[in-house]
Amino acid sequence: MIRTLLILLVLMTPSLLEAAEKKVPQQALSSAVDYLWSQQHADGSWRSEQYAVLRSGQALTPFVLHTLLESSDSLSSDEAEKALRAVRLIVSHLDDEGALGRSDPDILEYPVYSTAYAVMAIARMQRLGYEASTEEKAELNRHLIKMGQFLRNAQFDEASGFHVGMPTYGGWGFDKAKQAGEPGHMDLAHTRRAIDAVFRSLGLPYTNDGSSARGDKACRFLAVMQKHPETFSLQPVPEGVTRPTEIPFDGGFYFSPVVLAANKGRFDDNANCWRSYATATCDGILALLAAGVPKDDERVTAAVEWLKKHTNIDYPQGVPTDHPEPWGEAIEFYHYAARAEVYRSLSFPAEDRAALAATVLKHQREDGSFMNTVSPLMKEDEPLLATALAVVALINCLP
């Protein structure tokens, strides 16, 4: 009997051994997905019990739904019904402009971010297929088009008082501009999601009249965030700092040209520029790809080279480790998710993805959930948010 078992072990093919190794992360992913489905409320929402800005479900619901829909190539009848319930909840919160996240005038739930994920989730559900009446499907499609129109109108361009001499031109922010030429909070992360929703999920023309090449305006903004030589004159400096005559182009990205304190890499006094850091660089790569920039374009390859030089999975390099606020620890799961999406999009080696998956798995709790136990600065101590980010990471790490 023992001899037979030994022979069988010797005869096991590499593919069988690989399958055995992959079983654990696949089981972990299934457990995390089950946890997220179990947390859906009867009205179809996912909402936070600890953060007021996430309590209505307008922001968490589309993000969690999109994550769950991306985790599978098909839906069971039960999952399809749950997904449709979430979509109905989303639609019930849309305003006249097609924006999500504005139901409570006192607490805005990231209108651009929420609407972008709603678009991506609904478009994904349509591709997977779902049971509903012809009338409801037609109505949902009308909402989808309206949400896309809101996102297009929310881009900072000439129609909202912005011009190419502004660092914010071509990007997106927290919401549409409240005053002509005044962006409010705006950053690379919001821009990336809007590009993804408008270009990839909907394939809408880039401008309202369809006359501009796809992604031109967005790429102008991304060039500012990548510290490109052609746009260094538009890149901001802290108050009291003399604007440099040249900024080194390292291929990496920073986060915001407006909310300077949100740049977690902080300002590099020696180089006279904002430091590139891992999560922003991942977002930059993904935004470029979503805007239609080829994978072999110099902007993409330069950013990838930066990432290959900064391979620490446990900490988003570029973020100082000695800052009074632990920003690096606060974006732990966001870092896993964004890095994994880049690894998948650009076909990084399987061993890199396996190493990232193994790092994520160390944090899984018994109920399948994840939670950032080090810092609440980015709300990753909310299990719904952290678990959804972990699922994104695992989806993109597995074959």
Side-chain angles (χ1 to χ4, degrees), residues 155-315:
Q155 188 181 23
F156 301 141
D157 60 10
E158 291 82 358
S160 50
F162 295 82
H163 57 78
V164 292
M166 295 178 170
T168 53
Y169 177 83
W172 278 264
F174 187 86
D175 200 348
K176 71 174 188 179
K178 299 302 181 184
Q179 302 291 333
E182 296 182 12
H185 182 108
M186 73 90 60
D187 56 55
L188 181 57
H190 281 84
T191 298
R192 174 197 150 191
R193 271 63 181 199
I195 292 172
D196 247 329
V198 173
F199 297 161
R200 279 188 168 165
S201 293
L202 295 179
L204 294 177
Y206 187 65
T207 60
N208 288 335
D209 61 6
S211 62
S212 178
R214 183 183 181 194
D216 280 356
K217 294 179 183 178
C219 286
R220 176 72 176 178
F221 172 73
L222 296 176
V224 174
M225 304 314 296
Q226 198 175 14
K227 302 178 293 186
H228 199 277
E230 294 178 3
T231 58
F232 77 85
S233 64
L234 298 177
Q235 290 149 27
V237 294
E239 187 177 351
V241 174
T242 302
R243 180 177 295 280
T245 56
E246 185 178 355
I247 293 177
F249 177 68
D250 62 6
F253 285 76
Y254 66 109
F255 186 66
S256 177
V258 174
V259 192
L260 301 187
N263 289 305
K264 298 167 185 63
R266 323 318 300 174
F267 192 77
D268 186 340
D269 293 320
N270 295 322
N272 272 325
C273 64
W274 296 100
R275 288 187 185 89
S276 302
Y277 60 100
T279 52
T281 300
C282 288
D283 275 339
I285 292 170
L286 295 166
L288 286 168
L289 295 175
V293 176
K295 294 179 181 180
D296 60 356
D297 185 275
E298 182 252 1
R299 291 164 290 180
V300 175
T301 58
V304 170
E305 283 304 308
W306 188 97
L307 206 59
K308 287 180 176 179
K309 293 175 184 175
H310 300 83
T311 57
N312 189 340
I313 297 173
D314 295 309
Y315 191 86

Side-chain angles (χ1 to χ4, degrees), residues 320-382:
T321 57
D322 58 354
H323 193 270
E325 295 180 310
W327 286 112
E329 291 84 355
I331 52 175
E332 179 177 48
F333 286 95
Y334 190 94
H335 179 217
Y336 296 152
R339 185 176 282 268
E341 288 178 279
V342 170
Y343 282 6
R344 179 81 175 223
S345 297
L346 295 174
S347 302
F348 269 59
E351 54 265 30
D352 291 346
R353 289 158 63 181
L356 178 51
T359 301
V360 176
L361 292 180
K362 294 176 184 178
H363 301 283
Q364 191 167 34
R365 306 193 295 178
E366 288 187 8
D367 63 356
S369 69
F370 294 80
M371 185 176 77
N372 188 326
T373 59
V374 179
S375 173
L377 280 174
M378 293 301 291
K379 302 181 178 65
E380 287 188 358
D381 59 329
E382 166 55 69

